[in-house]
Amino acid sequence: MKDITSLNGIESEMASAMPQWNGVRLPPFEVLAMAKTDHLIDLLRDAQKHPACGRMTWRYRLQGLDQIDRQLHEKNAPDILIIEADVSPEALIQQLTELSLVLDERTRVILITTQKRIDPRVMRDVFKLGVSEFLFPPFDAQEVVDALGSVHADIGDARQGRLMAFLGVRGGVGSSITAQNTAVAVSQF
């Protein structure tokens, strides 16, 4: 028996296949996805097309965790790093240790593993090294969006801008200059 949902009197099989979206848009984070397979990059591009990810900037690299370079440090560091890892648990711990020395402390990591199951002790060590989320196969684009939402909740408002207002009670009291000087000073932190 087929699952058919009624929408305003119109029968549709596709309505049940469409994921429900709660209308929440994720902040304009920068996402760097590092995958070893074109299939995973295609799946991540599907996640990018989700309405919740509309404000995010995505970059893709066809490389693995073992090819991390120093570009991830300081000004080039993404807000969220998605990495595909298909190595042994020992090698994974070693590579994540090296990554933690290079990666900006504000960057959150989503680890995609090719293994269906990982030893809980290894997972504990991986979380200690800064991984925020795990994705195990098989997964789809909606699960990637859910992981991004979870990481967003972890980041909170730390990376979002702040609004400051400067008001002068009359013209010529210097509120514009004060606002400009404050903006320059804050940008240098």
Side-chain angles (χ1 to χ4, degrees):
M1 183 173 186
K2 291 183 178 177
D3 181 24
I4 298 177
T5 306
S6 174
L7 296 172
N8 297 330
I10 301 172
E11 301 296 324
S12 170
E13 292 181 33
M14 291 187 58
S16 62
M18 296 290 287
Q20 294 295 321
W21 180 47
N22 61 6
V24 176
R25 293 182 62 185
L26 296 170
F29 291 136
E30 182 178 330
V31 178
L32 174 59
M34 299 174 64
K36 289 191 167 192
T37 62
D38 289 325
H39 173 71
L40 180 59
I41 288 181
D42 291 341
L43 188 128
L44 294 173
R45 287 187 196 278
D46 289 342
Q48 179 184 2
K49 294 174 188 172
H50 192 281
C53 301
R55 298 188 293 174
M56 292 181 159
T57 302
W58 291 67
R59 291 184 294 152
Y60 298 91
R61 290 189 188 170
L62 196 59
Q63 68 185 52
L65 182 58
D66 55 337
Q67 299 167 332
I68 296 287
D69 53 20
R70 295 221 174 256
Q71 288 184 353
L72 299 177
H73 190 59
E74 296 176 7
K75 294 186 179 183
N76 292 330
D79 297 309
I80 300 172
L81 177 63
I82 300 175
I83 303 173
E84 179 181 18
D86 61 351
V87 295
S88 69
E90 296 80 21
L92 178 64
I93 297 295
Q94 176 64 32
Q95 290 173 357
L96 287 173
T97 302
E98 293 172 11
L99 176 66
S100 68
L101 298 174
V102 176
L103 198 61
D104 187 293
E105 63 189 30
R106 297 171 296 179
T107 300
R108 298 297 183 253
V109 178
I110 298 175
L111 184 66
I112 297 174
T113 180
T114 57
Q115 302 172 10
K116 294 185 186 275
R117 194 157 185 249
I118 292 184
D119 180 32
R121 291 173 292 194
V122 173
M123 285 184 69
R124 182 188 65 226
D125 292 342
V126 167
F127 281 122
K128 284 181 182 178
L129 290 170
V131 172
S132 301
E133 280 291 323
F134 263 105
L135 287 175
F136 296 100
F139 61 91
D140 59 8
Q142 182 61 43
E143 291 179 73
V144 173
V145 173
D146 293 342
L148 290 168
S150 176
V151 169
H152 162 24
D154 180 39
I155 294 173
D157 294 333
R159 298 279 260 203
Q160 296 183 17
R162 301 279 188 248
L163 179 66
M164 295 183 190
F166 294 84
L167 301 173
V169 293
R170 60 184 177 83
V173 295
S175 57
S176 295
I177 280 291
T178 303
Q180 181 180 3
N181 290 339
T182 302
V184 169
V186 168
S187 72
Q188 294 176 356
F189 283 113

